[in-house]
Amino acid sequence: MVLEPPYLRIAGDIRRRIASGELAPGARVPSTRRITQEWGVAMATATKALAALNREGLVRAVPGVGTVVADAGRERPPAPHHGLTRDRVVRAALALVDAEGLAALSMRRVATDFGVSTMALYRHVPSRSELVRLMSEAVFDGEPQGPRPSGWRARLEREARWLWGLYRRHPWLARTMAGLTRPMASPHAMRYTERVLGTLKGLSLTPAQTIHIHLALLGYAQGVAAAVELESQARQDTGMTPEEWMASNEPRMVTVQTAGAYPLLSTLFEQEEFELELDELFAFGLARMLDGVTALVERSGGQDRRGRSGPCDVSLFGGTLGHVVTDK
């Protein structure tokens, strides 16, 4: 007796749920991570199961949402073997990762979505690591829009908010960056660094102070942005909004708080409501960091000290992208 491969059994179970109407057109199907948890299989098996359903035209990836049941009568796009280019591969990978997270990305998965062999993909992108690097480069290809504000603080805030916007639109981006200790030469990301350094040019800052300000702001934005990816993944894993999750865990939280072990935390918001909002948190922390930079500049007198220090080797810090990814 030949046993059916696990990925086919999983695909069959989801297919039956679609056929019965349990999963209606537009409904989210289990994510790859949810499949690994429910069926106890590896991520690669989960990816193969969704890829099999995708080939049948039963599901499709929706950026920012995840994999959903395809609309009835929806025509599948023709397999785009002809005209396959590196740019098209990168754009397809971006859409996939924005929708399902970095864990869903593999060369095989992208090739399947194009209807080509994995080897055909390798002719345009040599590895998964290089694909992630190219995706990051594509995301950083831009700059803040609108008129340039006056004053170094307003310009520095503008750059930090631009970076935060990238993290918001692409939750996976913060995890692929490890530029504080292992920067990678990246032309588009280095343009961001150059703009920040240019904003601080002419102030009474040493080269070390200048680069520390840049890296501190980068690290702050990256740290808060990690919560964006965690929330995106948690929503895929549980299918619950933050409000729904809080409601389901409220009894346990009330039990902990009423135990009396945390009197300050338990009574902090007795007089007013509080709801954590990441944009507000980022803005609050950014303002406090800029307050600190302002104090540093004012203590130094706001004068240009470039003539009193040796040159700063910007090449050591210019690349803000360092990828900690492996090929699959």
Side-chain angles (χ1 to χ4, degrees):
M1 177 179 178
V2 180
L3 294 178
E4 187 178 42
Y7 83 94
L8 289 180
R9 291 201 301 273
I10 296 169
D13 184 51
I14 297 175
R15 188 187 302 110
R16 284 189 292 273
R17 293 167 64 183
I18 294 173
S20 68
E22 180 183 347
L23 291 173
R28 292 179 64 247
V29 301
S31 66
T32 52
R33 189 172 296 253
R34 188 67 176 268
I35 290 173
T36 63
Q37 295 171 343
E38 291 189 3
W39 279 271
V41 296
M43 185 67 72
T45 300
T47 299
K48 289 177 65 176
L50 292 181
L53 295 170
N54 180 272
R55 287 194 298 270
E56 297 174 27
L58 294 176
V59 301
R60 61 190 178 92
V62 178
V65 176
T67 302
V68 303
V69 178
D71 298 333
R74 174 185 173 90
E75 292 186 6
R76 293 193 67 206
H81 180 75
H82 299 293
L84 188 64
T85 65
R86 187 174 74 171
D87 181 63
R88 294 186 66 191
V89 171
V90 171
R91 285 190 282 112
L94 269 173
L96 168 64
V97 175
D98 282 348
E100 300 186 30
L102 197 61
L105 179 67
S106 69
M107 300 295 281
R108 178 181 297 179
R109 170 68 185 276
V110 177
T112 298
D113 289 346
F114 272 104
V116 300
S117 68
T118 306
M119 287 307 299
L121 211 65
Y122 280 123
R123 298 190 186 101
H124 301 278
V125 181
S127 66
R128 182 179 185 269
S129 297
E130 177 63 8
L131 180 55
V132 174
R133 189 192 71 80
L134 291 171
M135 290 160 53
S136 302
E137 273 284 88
V139 167
F140 269 90
D141 186 16
E143 60 183 59
Q145 300 299 305
R148 188 168 181 257
S150 61
W152 68 264
R153 175 165 177 154
R155 293 198 295 270
L156 198 57
E157 179 179 356
R158 182 190 189 214
E159 293 295 342
R161 287 183 177 276
W162 179 80
L163 180 63
W164 173 248
L166 296 187
Y167 289 140
R168 266 303 207 181
R169 293 190 296 276
H170 309 284
W172 53 272
L173 185 61
R175 185 151 58 97
T176 68
M177 296 178 64
L180 297 184
T181 57
R182 299 188 181 188
M184 179 181 292
S186 173
H188 292 164
M190 289 175 76
R191 284 204 291 269
Y192 162 76
T193 300
E194 188 71 9
R195 292 197 306 270
V196 172
L197 298 180
T199 295
L200 299 171
K201 181 181 178 180
L203 301 178
S204 56
L205 300 170
T206 66
Q209 289 171 332
T210 300
I211 204 66
H212 280 157
I213 291 171
H214 160 56
L215 293 178
L217 289 171
L218 175 67
Y220 169 67
Q222 184 177 348
V224 180
V228 178
E229 185 191 25
L230 289 173
E231 170 54 31
S232 177
Q233 189 61 62
R235 188 172 295 203
Q236 284 198 37
D237 290 346
T238 65
M240 302 168 68
T241 66
E243 294 76 19
E244 292 169 338
W245 186 89
M246 289 292 290
S248 68
N249 283 271
E250 186 174 7
R252 180 180 298 177
M253 292 181 179
V254 170
T255 300
V256 172
Q257 290 181 354
T258 55
Y262 312 99
L264 294 179
L265 180 61
S266 300
T267 60
L268 186 60
F269 293 103
E270 284 185 340
Q271 304 302 320
E272 61 179 273
E273 293 288 331
F274 174 77
E275 183 175 349
L276 179 61
E277 211 290 318
L278 291 180
D279 286 324
E280 291 182 8
L281 174 63
F282 176 78
F284 177 86
L286 176 61
R288 303 293 75 77
M289 294 192 74
L290 294 176
D291 287 345
V293 177
T294 299
L296 174 63
V297 172
E298 289 176 349
R299 278 202 310 270
S300 302
Q303 300 299 316
D304 190 340
R305 292 181 53 192
R306 284 175 296 156
R308 292 183 241 169
S309 301
C312 176
D313 185 357
V314 177
S315 65
L316 294 176
F317 307 97
T320 61
L321 297 184
H323 303 295
V324 186
V325 293
T326 57
D327 293 337
K328 289 183 180 180

